[in-house]
Amino acid sequence: MSSLTVLPSSPPDPLAEELRSVLAEFPGSQVRFGRHDRLLYSTDASLYQVEPIGVVVPGSIAAAERVVAHCAGRGVPMLARGGGTSLAGQCTNRAVVIDLTPGCRELKWVDIGARLCEVESGIGVDELNEHLAKKKTGLFFAPDPATTRQAAVGGCIGNNAAGARSIRYGRTSENVERVEVCLATGERVWLGPDGGATNAVALRLAEGVSKIVRQHAAAIRERFPQTVRRNAGYGLDTILDQLDRGAMPQSVDLSKLLCGSEGTLAVTLGAVLKLHPLPRSKGLAVVSFVTLEDAIAATKPILDACLPLGLTAVELLDDVVLDAARGNIEARRYVELLPGADAARGEPKAALYVEFFAFDESGEQVRAGFSVLRELIADMPGVLPDGFAVYTDTPAMMNAWALRRAGEPLLHGLPGARKPITFVEDNAVPVERLGEFVREFKKIVARHGTRAAYWAHASVGVLHVRPMIDLHDPADRVRMREIAVEVADLARGCGGIMSGEHGDGRVRGPLLERFFGSELMGAFRDVKALFDPQGLLNPGNIVGAGPVESITSALRVDAANEADTPSASLVEPVDTYFDYSDSEGFGHAIEQCNGAGVCRKRGGVMCPSYQATLDERHSTRGRGNALRLAITGQFGGGKPKWNDAETIDTLDLCLSCKACKSECPSNVDISRLKAEYTAQRYREAGRTPVAAVATGRVRWLNRIGAVAPGIANAVNRTSLARGFIGRAMNLHPSRSLPTFSRSLFSLGKNAAWGSAKPDRPRVVLYGDCFTTYNESHIGAAAAQLLDAFGYEVRIIDAGCCGRSMISVGMLRQAIETIDVSVNRLSAAAADPNVRAIVVCEPSCLSAIKDEWLALKCRSSKATREKIAAKSSLVEDFIDRAWNEHPNRPLVERLAAPAHGPPVVLHGHCHQKALWGIETTARLLRRLVGDRLRILDAGCCGMAGGFGYGADRYELSMTIGELTLFPSLREAPVDAIIVAPGTSCRHQVHDGVNRRAIHPVELAASLVAAQQRAASR
Ligand SMILES: Cc1cc2nc3c(=O)[nH]c(=O)nc-3n(C[C@H](O)[C@H](O)[C@H](O)COP(=O)(O)OP(=O)(O)OC[C@H]3O[C@@H](n4cnc5c(N)ncnc54)[C@H](O)[C@@H]3O)c2cc1C
Ligand code: SF4
Ligand code: SF4
């Protein structure tokens, strides 16, 4: 049976029914055997796609144990899963996927004295360290793969994960004390240093493994590499090492063997982990080089000189990675921070990150490390002038590391049919042979007519290389296999190995026999049979892999072909509403997610619905997958399915916050794709649902309400009207309704700020739907403020920006509306006397700056670009034009008042994603100085119309409770809460019953106070 064979989705699956009944007594557990869920779990961060039998999400460890026991009894294959961030395909299989991350993530205890803690296997690495920090233990779990934000401890054990600091802290295997596992026989057992002494099952396993290892001791000594990093096959060398040191079966520590076993020996339920003291001081030096070769040559001398001085990492980035970062909205600024950076010359071409940890408070030891390093590189060839920088404060170091962390996923955004492909990305060689390895590697790649991107955990000789391959091209696939074999041989020839940390999976499993030889492969099979006699756990990985040709089977890009829908060629003819030329066409846009799972992190904005639900389906990756599968016809039918009910459900909880557009390293823009998919659905159906029209045409409703706002508000407050509106628009009863105000245009008629002042330079205030009809006092405050700074303010009724229509997928109507608005703003854009077009509402400004340019409008693109370039938030314009405002005396008098209440700023998601919170913060800082506190609070959960929905209200509130609400509850009672977004202010009101104001309201009141004081 093909790995991609499609299971029928409708008839009830007996196995699913059995599992449901087994799990009935375990709350929070879910059995998902529908086609949609199966396919959402058919990929990881690798090239592969294999449809699982079904998905189970156990609500607890006890539930997980029961699932394993049941599947074992039924002879059903199983695949335990953490964050699903594996790069070698070991997290894709025709099996029942057991996702331990939502329900099994407890930190059970910490013993500070013994530096140990016990966790459930689904807990995330960063999450664990956050708990340890909150408990003020002074300890941390050290293994640091680049995915600590989204990887689970169980997955780290499965892959024996290790990161930049492994030279100091080792791999996961060196940081695990013991593991609790469920075997494929259904037995639950602890494996660790004394496992065999306390448990008969553990003793049986330890005796069996010891026997196998003794029998093959000579081959193990000969064939296992001596590199710090090695993660191929089963770690028999770790057992031999113990036996050599005199261990008896009772004391052989099998947890070491579990590390790196890729879920093939047992399902890890929990672990006791070793912890390390947090360093008291840290420092990061970055050295920029002229060439990659210069940087590699510098590594060994740096290691030799700095290792005794607390060196923890030497990391390498090459020019392909740096260039990819230059093309990414989020990462570009990090490249510019590199020492000696010269954007025009494309320098540096490579950089080394050299990190030091120390335990003295003073930072003296770190400084000593820096000075030795500075002296060393002073005479080194290839270091750029001014190419050395040191950082010791945390934000600066985080900024620098952000680039290194983003390196790999960024490569997926590179233009062209050939992409940097993950298949020889994980070689480890002795550091002194790194230069030779890279030279020979380059020759192999060149011989095959392509090039590669290089970055490395240089300190341990782990080189991540991505040759550029077009997986759609059969000739490139042959190249890929040939390169894989040649590189594996090269690594071996250099005394290294082809799996340094990412494991074997589907991509390197077929090369194991070539590397280890038939004797050791036999030993691996014996170990597998000892633990998993029926071969049920992640079958086909490590042992039982296919021939070399299988490296290019079960590829994700083939899955579309198998559904008779060659992905790129099928989707191109779709008449899209957005122009996808910035993503190399629609076909590429829907394939842009690489599965690395950064969107499953906690903290930041992306992805609010995942952070609140911990459900793969409600992550950016889940949505990206759903869209790709629906549009490439893989949910059935072989052609785009625009009305797929499950896909619609998966998209439903997307808040269109745009966080993924900037925070996803591949710039996957779900907000845009969701709007496109919905619009295509409406087009196919030939109608737009009434509820969507009611939300999309919010300007009409607001305009009507603003005719007689007193009456409209009074009516809205009656329970009869509230009930009627709630039912008609599917609103949640606990959600307050927005109020109407007199329109901004009518307010302006009688106000001083509304009068003509032709002698002044002009600013055009865009009358957005909310500032004009719901909160016109904000528009008035903005106009008053601009008037005070010496401008003539023209409020333009340019119509709607289209935001509300875009958010419900009314793209045809949005395009028509935008064309009208563009026409009305075009004169202002062209008029040199108009200094700026200013906007109060960030989501309207984001429409102008983002969607107006990306939608296939009929109006001239050049005009839209001019409008976008001239448009900004009111407060941003005032800050940026500070030295040119006509009212100079006011500017000179304004200084941050020393005393006053704290000011707490919550930014809008679109603002944070597209142009940054500083566009509001800078003006406030000028006015209130260090009384300003910027909340790092993610999304508020309201997101325009999202939080009104009866079926979304609870989620909206849960998202608010993640960070924003608790932060606001902690804010002093007299704090002024400032939020530029109308939805955010609404949510603050409904969530914590406090009033938030727009920044221009605060600014206008401070300026007015200043003016009053000056006139006294
Ligand atoms: C951009 C990027 C960078 C990366 N950088 C690094 C790096 O620096 N170092 C590194 O080591 N790796 C790296 N990886 C690979 C991967 O992210 C890590 O190995 C990570 O620790 C895997 O964790 P996970 O929770 O995602 O595991 P998963 O992918 O979910 O699982 C990994 C393996 O463990 C098995 N498994 C998971 N949970 C269990 C369990 N409870 N019981 C039994 N088996 C289980 C799975 O079946 C699978 O075989 C990187 C990946 C990406 C995409
Ligand atoms: S959506 Fe972005 S962050 Fe999430 S897995 Fe895909 S590429 Fe990674
Ligand atoms: S737009 Fe926001 S909610 Fe939607 S997928 Fe992206 S990050 Fe998640």
Side-chain angles (χ1 to χ4, degrees), residues 44-45 84 150 409 412 556 592-601 606-607 616 619-625 660 663-670:
D44 52 12
Q150 66 267 37
H412 294 266
R556 201 192 285 201
Q592 220 161 337
C593 169
N594 57 63
V598 181
C599 47
R600 286 175 50 105
K601 69 185 166 53
M606 174 178 74
C607 170
E616 171 73 21
S619 67
T620 311
R621 180 170 72 177
R623 294 188 183 111
N625 266 328
C660 44
E663 284 184 39
C664 159
S666 296
N667 298 138
V668 169
D669 186 352
I670 294 294

Side-chain angles (χ1 to χ4, degrees), residues 57 81 316 372 377 435 480 715 729 766 837 934 960 975 1002:
V57 182
R81 178 164 162 135
L316 168 82
V372 167
I377 63 149
M480 179 175 156
V715 171
M729 297 185 69
Y766 174 78
I837 299 167
I934 303 174
L1002 177 61

Side-chain angles (χ1 to χ4, degrees), residues 28-264:
S29 301
Q30 295 174 42
V31 177
R32 302 173 167 190
F33 271 50
R35 185 90 202 290
H36 189 85
D37 280 306
R38 292 204 310 268
L39 281 172
L40 290 195
Y41 281 87
S42 64
T43 49
D44 52 12
S46 72
L47 308 172
Y48 301 100
Q49 177 173 326
V50 183
E51 187 173 334
I53 293 170
V55 179
V56 178
V57 182
S60 62
I61 289 294
E65 183 190 358
R66 289 289 285 278
V67 173
V68 178
H70 186 81
C71 291
R74 288 273 267 100
V76 174
M78 288 164 269
L79 170 62
R81 178 164 162 135
T85 66
S86 289
L87 284 162
Q90 61 267 53
C91 221
T92 59
N93 215 331
R94 181 94 185 129
V96 170
V97 171
I98 306 169
D99 179 355
L100 292 133
T101 54
C104 306
R105 53 196 307 150
E106 208 183 304
L107 165 59
K108 298 180 87 165
W109 51 258
V110 188
D111 182 337
I112 298 177
R115 294 184 184 167
L116 294 174
C117 72
E118 185 184 338
V119 295
E120 294 179 345
S121 65
I123 194 170
V125 178
D126 274 6
E127 189 186 1
L128 165 61
N129 282 328
E130 278 157 25
H131 284 312
L132 293 171
K134 269 194 203 135
K135 288 178 185 287
K136 300 197 185 330
T137 60
L139 300 170
F140 78 115
F141 179 61
D144 58 340
T147 45
T148 49
R149 286 179 296 176
Q150 66 267 37
V153 166
C156 290
I157 293 171
N159 282 354
N160 202 6
R165 300 185 183 109
S166 63
I167 194 153
R168 174 85 163 245
Y169 296 108
R171 303 167 295 170
T172 300
S173 47
E174 282 79 54
N175 291 276
V176 165
E177 175 71 11
R178 56 172 62 91
V179 290
E180 188 183 21
V181 298
C182 193
L183 299 170
T185 50
E187 294 155 304
R188 184 169 169 171
V189 61
W190 278 98
L191 302 176
D194 49 3
T198 53
N199 182 291
V201 179
L203 181 62
R204 172 176 60 79
L205 293 173
E207 280 172 347
V209 171
S210 303
K211 190 170 160 212
I212 296 165
V213 167
R214 280 206 186 92
Q215 205 177 338
H216 301 285
I220 295 171
R221 285 187 223 289
E222 189 204 329
R223 303 294 289 239
F224 271 78
Q226 298 305 309
T227 45
V228 179
R229 294 294 203 81
R230 51 197 191 280
N231 198 14
Y234 292 126
L236 300 185
D237 55 336
T238 61
I239 305 296
L240 181 59
D241 197 37
Q242 295 180 47
L243 296 174
D244 283 349
R245 282 186 280 112
M248 302 302 287
Q250 289 83 345
S251 57
V252 163
D253 179 359
L254 289 181
S255 70
K256 306 289 173 262
L257 189 67
L258 259 290
C259 290
S261 62
E262 301 179 12
T264 60

Side-chain angles (χ1 to χ4, degrees), residues 56 99 174 319-320 367 374 392 414 447 449 496 620 622 634 642 675 678 747 788 803-804 841 910 942:
V56 178
D99 179 355
E174 282 79 54
D319 56 334
V320 181
R367 281 193 292 279
R374 189 180 281 111
T392 46
L414 288 181
R447 216 168 34 242
T620 311
Q634 294 183 64
W642 302 115
T678 313
L747 284 187
R803 164 61 58 222
S804 328
E841 172 53 37
H910 289 190
M942 185 67 177

